[in-house]
Structure formats: structure tokens, C-alpha cells
Amino acid sequence: MSITVYGIKNCNTMKKTFEFLDSKGVGYDFVDYKKQKPTPELLYGFLKKTELASLVNKKGMTYRKMDEDQRADLEKEATAIPILIEHSSMIKRPVITFPNGEITLGFDPESIEKQL
């Protein structure tokens, strides 16, 4: 089974994810947002499987530094997508896509294992 993991390599949550997948012997492709910006098509694809509110990482510094107008822009797909492309650290990490088309958001070992 080949899955794709999206995120930022140096993120602690990503490190936990890699360790978990490696311990299970699961092969994966990794897409680092810092080296390859997410595309609108990728993000809209994620949004077919999850809600925008779930995709946006509201715990990070980038989000916390935003003013109310900027945060409001993250509540509508049309205005959120360009922000998430420019500030990819605001995308929940990791996003994992599975061959069956399903995705998981964040490091949730139970949800990941269920898809494996």
C-alpha cells in the first residue's frame, strides 16, 4: 500500500507520523509544503473529503498572529485557498491520502491505522 503524507518535514507532529508509519512498515511518499507549495487543485481535493474548518491549523503561530479580518477570510473557501497556498504551515499536519481516496488530518494513530 502506498500512501501520501503532506506536511512540513521539521514539524514535531510530522516526526511522530513518520515514526509511526515506519514502525508499521508502511511505505509512503512525502510532500513537503516548504519545497512544493500546495496547489489549488490539491486543496480543493482535500476539501471534497473534509471541511475547511478542519483543514485549517488554528493552533499555530501564523494563525494566532492574524487579525480578525484575515481569520474571517479563512472561513470561506474562495479566500482561504490562496492564504493556505501562501502560508502552508496553516494547513493541519499531516494530511494523509490513502489509495481508497480517504484522508486523515493530524496525527491520529487510530484513524491512520483504520485506513491501513
Side-chain angles (χ1 to χ4, degrees):
M1 167 186 286
S2 182
I3 62 175
T4 304
V5 179
Y6 297 86
I8 298 169
K9 187 174 187 174
N10 293 330
C11 167
N12 288 333
T13 304
M14 295 301 301
K15 290 175 184 175
K16 289 180 201 174
T17 302
F18 298 141
E19 288 172 11
F20 176 78
L21 293 172
D22 291 342
S23 75
K24 299 290 181 188
V26 175
Y28 56 88
D29 294 317
F30 173 59
V31 178
D32 188 338
Y33 294 139
K34 296 298 181 189
K35 293 181 180 177
Q36 183 178 336
K37 281 190 175 193
T39 63
E41 294 79 17
L42 178 69
L43 296 176
Y44 280 116
F46 292 162
L47 291 174
K48 289 180 181 177
K49 302 289 182 180
T50 192
E51 296 178 1
L52 180 59
S54 299
L55 188 62
V56 175
N57 175 12
K58 294 181 180 176
K59 294 181 181 178
M61 287 301 283
T62 306
Y63 181 83
R64 290 189 294 209
K65 288 181 180 179
M66 293 182 139
D67 63 37
E68 290 304 312
D69 289 339
Q70 292 170 314
R71 289 180 183 180
D73 285 342
L74 287 168
E75 295 177 11
K76 299 175 281 264
E77 283 186 18
T79 51
I81 295 296
I83 294 169
L84 294 175
I85 291 169
E86 189 61 33
H87 302 284
S88 56
S89 61
M90 293 185 60
I91 302 170
K92 185 91 164 186
R93 296 182 298 272
V95 176
I96 303 176
T97 60
F98 297 88
N100 66 0
E102 294 299 314
I103 70 170
T104 59
L105 299 173
F107 178 61
D108 181 352
E110 288 179 20
S111 294
I112 296 168
E113 189 131 32
K114 196 182 290 186
Q115 292 298 325
L116 299 175

